[in-house]
């Protein structure tokens, strides 16, 4: 049973528009939620995170929203840039071992110029 | 600041052979993790160390897999009697346990294993 799901394998948006990547989870014991970006032939790179005590965290063009009642989180990228084209992984972990993350299968974002 | 480095980047081996991967974490990080990633999936947790102690192993880690982190610095992941199903990207990550942190991981570029 997959505890973290990214239901959209791919997303294509126009440069300058908003990209919204979604993630659902099933385990209510998760305390932290993170987004990673991965370019080909590189390891994942940490992008932004949110604690379960918050519902929004913003860092520049990136905002993560958490809806605990729906067990849903989303990553908003505004405005989207061609350099944002990558695979985005949603991940979740518990406070007892924050680095032991459960990952979704990723969403490939393509930002068209 | 050097990031997490892994060696080798790519290993091709024949079924039944043993392979070893090495990971050098970010020097001030006290936690080191191994993950495995197959095509089209996200990374899966294998094991982690806090300093030199191996504190948790996933059920995914069969007895053919062993990991060490002597002296709490670099780590090695050895796979004995490789099988074709072991073909994957093996990712190492490190982190620093800190107050207010959310467990963000710093990944290396990975070691890709191909078992023929």
């Amino acid at each position: 049973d997959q505890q973290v799901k990214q239901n959209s394998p791919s997303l294509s948006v126009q440069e300058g528009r908003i990209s919204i990547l979604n993630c659902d989870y099933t385990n209510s014991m998760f305390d932290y939620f993170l987004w990673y970006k991965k370019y080909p032939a590189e390891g994942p790179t940490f992008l932004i995170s949110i604690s379960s005590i918050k519902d929004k965290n913003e860092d520049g063009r990136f905002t993560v929203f958490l809806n605990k009642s729906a067990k849903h989180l989303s990553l908003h990228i505004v405005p989207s840039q061609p350099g944002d084209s990558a695979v985005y992984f949603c991940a979740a972990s518990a406070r007892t071992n924050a680095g032991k993350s459960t990952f979704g299968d990723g969403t490939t974002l393509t930002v068209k110029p | 600041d050097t990031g997490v480095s892994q060696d080798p980047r790519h290993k091709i081996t024949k079924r039944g052979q043993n392979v070893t991967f090495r990971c050098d974490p970010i020097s001030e990080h006290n936690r080191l993790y191994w993950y495995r990633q197959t095509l089209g999936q996200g990374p899966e947790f294998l094991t982690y160390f806090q300093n030199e102690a191996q504190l948790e192993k996933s059920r995914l880690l069969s007895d053919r897999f062993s990991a060490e982190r002597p002296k709490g610095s670099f780590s090695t992941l050895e796979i004995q009697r490789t099988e074709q199903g072991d073909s994957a990207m093996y990712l190492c990550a490190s982190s620093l346990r800190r107050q207010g942190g959310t467990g963000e991981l710093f990944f290396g570029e990975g070691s890709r294993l191909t078992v023929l």
Side-chain angles (χ1 to χ4, degrees), chain A residues 3 11 41 69 76 83 97 113:
Chain A
Q3 297 188 59
L11 175 68
S69 61
H76 292 210
N97 184 356

Side-chain angles (χ1 to χ4, degrees), chain A residues 32-34 36 38 41-46 49-51 89 93 95-106, chain B residues 9 31 33 35 37 40-45 48 56 89 91 95 97 100-110:
Chain A
Y32 305 124
F33 303 89
L34 308 96
Y36 290 85
K38 185 182 182 306
E42 295 184 8
T45 302
F46 170 71
S49 63
I50 189 168
S51 166
F89 291 100
S93 63
R95 185 177 296 109
T96 51
N97 184 356
K100 180 189 174 185
S101 284
T102 301
F103 284 78
D105 288 339
Chain B
R9 293 290 309 278
R31 290 190 168 187
Y33 297 79
Y35 282 79
Q37 185 178 18
Q41 297 190 337
E44 292 178 296
F45 170 80
Y48 97 99
E56 188 170 347
M89 176 73 82
L91 293 163
S95 71
R97 187 178 182 184
T102 55
E104 54 269 30
L105 297 168
F106 293 81
F107 282 92
E109 294 181 320

Side-chain angles (χ1 to χ4, degrees), chain B residues 14-69:
Chain B
K14 293 183 179 179
R15 187 177 49 167
Q17 298 295 303
N18 299 343
V19 296
T20 299
F21 301 115
R22 175 180 170 126
C23 171
D24 287 89
I26 294 172
S27 56
E28 61 266 30
H29 286 182
N30 54 0
R31 290 190 168 187
L32 185 148
Y33 297 79
W34 286 98
Y35 282 79
R36 180 171 66 189
Q37 185 178 18
T38 53
L39 195 63
Q41 297 190 337
E44 292 178 296
F45 170 80
L46 292 179
T47 187
Y48 97 99
F49 295 82
Q50 178 153 311
N51 300 315
E52 67 274 11
Q54 187 175 18
L55 297 185
E56 188 170 347
K57 292 171 60 173
S58 165
R59 287 171 294 178
L60 293 174
L61 218 60
S62 77
D63 55 8
R64 296 185 297 106
F65 288 70
S66 62
E68 294 182 345
R69 193 184 182 196

Side-chain angles (χ1 to χ4, degrees), chain A residues 44-65:
Chain A
T45 302
F46 170 71
L47 192 57
I48 191 170
S49 63
I50 189 168
S51 166
S52 60
I53 62 173
K54 297 183 177 181
D55 54 18
K56 178 183 175 181
N57 188 28
E58 190 172 355
D59 183 4
R61 296 185 297 113
F62 303 91
T63 303
V64 56
F65 295 92

Side-chain angles (χ1 to χ4, degrees), chain A residues 24-37:
Chain A
D24 296 296
Y25 63 96
T26 57
N27 190 341
S28 58
M29 300 302 289
F30 288 139
D31 298 297
Y32 305 124
F33 303 89
L34 308 96
W35 286 93
Y36 290 85
K37 179 168 70 174

